[in-house]
Amino acid sequence: MTAKQKELKVTLIPGDGIGPEVTSAARKVIAAAGVVIDWEIMDAGAGALDKYETTLPEETIESIRKNKVALKGPITTPIGKGFTSVNVGLRKALELYSNIRPVRSALGISVHHKPIDLVIFRENTEDLYAGLEQDVAPGVAQSLKIITEAASTRIAESAFSWAAKNNRHTVHAVHKANIMKKSDGLFLSCVRKVAAKYPGITYKEIIVDNCAMQLVMHPEQFDVMVLGNLYGDIISDLCAGLVGGLGVVPGANIGDEMAVFESVHGSAPDIAGKGIANPLATILSANMMLRHLGFSKEADRIQAAIVLFLSERHHLTPDMGGNATTDEMVNAIIDKIKLLR
Ligand code: NAI
């Protein structure tokens, strides 16, 4: 065990639905790659309600504040009921303003014939997710879309600085400023100011509806994308669909001090407890976490093992066209990790 590993404590939120199944899969893979983590297991979501009378206990937030890093399973958000989303609550409480979602066809399971290697930077703290809603009159409801200069500038900085560090060539800002001239207009003007500081990176703007079509027809033109919260959420799922589905796209929520890693997919109540959830997205999110923690050699090995595993097209879960269980897929990936030792 290295000195770096001795102190390594990470918060683990297993979450709801398939969350415990896929996070336990990710833990097994990390352990197989030789990284020793002292997991601090914390509640959030439906499972926390009885014990804490809230879906997002303060203890859980405190654990992440202390450990600085968390791996999180998906959490069910009841539609139209009084609970605010745990995900939105966490992102706001911890100022995790940058939601980073890499979408790649390199894993060999893409449904698109064109190469895709893009990274989504989704603003994570405001927009229509501010949760400011009210009934204005009978039959009339209102949601407020909040866009601020501070949040738009920091997500743009996040996208451009990442692009510069990772030798990326283009950043697209995605918007609907033709209709929402004030809110999306402010977002665009902030991104433009940041873009001007990065003359080596080509800056482009695209309206969100056209962006959706372009992604389906010509996804290869996109490199790094910066979006507000709602467009980022929707476009992420569209992109996931292009490369093999929600089961394979990882994600990170990053702030200046803390980071929470989680897949793009939700708690998949339709398959929860059946042992057939695809663990890849959570394993890939955990791999982003390992890189964040400085374990790039181990992360490279896990990535190589996944590519090797997928090239054989055995032991795939049903969403990928196979009939393997989550455990069978994880064991097959671990076999490849051992092979690459
Ligand atoms: P979902 O992502 O849970 O499921 C959509 C479809 O994809 C379902 O058919 C599901 O079976 C399938 N799917 C998702 N992940 C899969 C996996 N790993 N392996 C195999 N199939 C998978 O989206 P849905 O149904 O809209 O949401 C369910 C719940 O999850 C809701 O309460 C929602 O609020 C919550 N949610 C939570 C998120 C989070 O905690 N980060 C993100 C998205 C949704």
Side-chain angles (χ1 to χ4, degrees):
M1 196 192 283
T2 65
K4 177 170 59 174
Q5 285 173 258
K6 264 184 212 157
E7 301 294 323
L8 192 52
K9 208 167 198 177
V10 170
T11 303
L12 178 81
I13 302 172
D16 298 321
I18 60 170
E21 302 164 52
V22 291
T23 50
S24 129
R27 287 177 63 178
K28 286 182 197 158
V29 168
I30 289 175
V35 181
V36 181
I37 292 180
D38 180 5
W39 297 100
E40 192 162 278
I41 299 175
M42 302 303 294
D43 291 312
L49 208 50
D50 282 348
K51 192 166 156 196
Y52 298 93
E53 292 177 0
T54 167
T55 49
L56 182 53
E58 196 46 45
E59 286 87 338
T60 301
I61 297 176
E62 270 316 308
S63 164
I64 304 173
R65 280 204 183 107
K66 173 172 60 80
N67 297 327
K68 311 277 185 227
V69 177
L71 179 65
K72 177 184 157 297
I75 283 169
T76 303
T77 308
I79 294 172
K81 294 193 194 150
F83 298 106
T84 51
S85 160
V86 168
N87 300 315
V88 174
L90 258 187
R91 291 163 193 169
K92 278 197 202 161
L94 301 173
E95 280 293 302
L96 304 170
Y97 57 82
S98 185
N99 184 197
I100 307 173
R101 294 171 162 182
V103 179
R104 294 192 187 98
S105 52
L107 292 175
I109 46 176
S110 181
V111 294
H112 208 288
H113 59 286
K114 294 194 171 150
I116 300 169
D117 181 7
L118 59 88
V119 182
I120 289 172
F121 282 77
R122 166 191 173 200
E123 202 292 318
N124 229 358
T125 60
E126 55 178 27
D127 197 343
L128 282 159
Y129 290 65
L132 298 173
E133 291 196 294
Q134 61 175 337
D135 292 314
V136 179
V140 184
Q142 181 187 45
S143 278
L144 293 183
K145 172 164 168 140
I146 307 295
I147 299 292
T148 63
E149 184 180 356
S152 303
T153 302
R154 69 186 177 180
I155 189 65
E157 279 289 0
S158 200
F160 275 92
S161 66
W162 186 90
K165 265 189 224 123
N166 290 277
N167 296 320
R168 296 291 188 138
H169 50 83
T170 309
V171 174
H172 272 93
V174 183
H175 68 95
K176 191 80 186 173
N178 50 329
I179 302 298
M180 281 160 275
K181 296 177 194 299
K182 295 242 178 259
S183 53
D184 282 19
L186 174 59
F187 176 79
L188 269 192
S189 78
C190 295
V191 184
R192 280 176 196 158
K193 278 185 202 147
V194 174
K197 295 197 281 176
Y198 293 84
I201 296 174
T202 306
Y203 172 59
K204 295 185 175 175
E205 294 172 355
I206 187 164
I207 294 176
V208 64
D209 37 346
N210 179 32
C211 177
M213 184 197 66
Q214 293 292 337
L215 276 164
V216 172
M217 296 188 73
H218 307 292
E220 73 285 0
Q221 69 185 290
F222 294 99
D223 186 7
V224 173
M225 304 173 78
V226 58
L227 311 92
N229 209 339
L230 181 66
Y231 307 147
D233 199 6
I234 297 168
I235 292 293
S236 294
D237 273 31
L238 189 158
C239 290
L242 297 175
V243 297
L246 283 172
V248 299
V249 178
N253 300 290
I254 311 252
D256 289 332
E257 284 180 45
M258 283 154 281
V260 175
F261 296 81
E262 63 177 333
S263 58
V264 172
H265 66 69
S267 56
D270 51 338
I271 56 164
K274 294 186 180 162
I276 54 163
N278 184 344
L280 269 180
T282 307
I283 294 171
L284 290 165
S285 306
N287 223 25
M288 289 175 80
M289 181 186 86
L290 290 186
R291 287 189 200 285
H292 176 84
L293 290 167
F295 293 96
S296 24
K297 241 176 42 206
E298 291 83 350
D300 286 346
R301 192 156 134 231
I302 293 173
Q303 181 81 20
I306 291 172
V307 170
L308 184 59
F309 158 75
L310 288 170
S311 70
E312 295 178 357
R313 307 213 56 79
H314 293 313
H315 306 298
L316 298 176
T317 44
D319 59 304
M320 295 180 77
N323 54 15
T325 63
T326 309
D327 283 347
E328 285 165 346
M329 194 194 250
V330 172
N331 290 337
I333 293 171
I334 289 174
D335 285 347
K336 299 300 181 213
I337 292 174
K338 288 181 183 155
L339 205 68
L340 295 171
R341 200 177 287 273

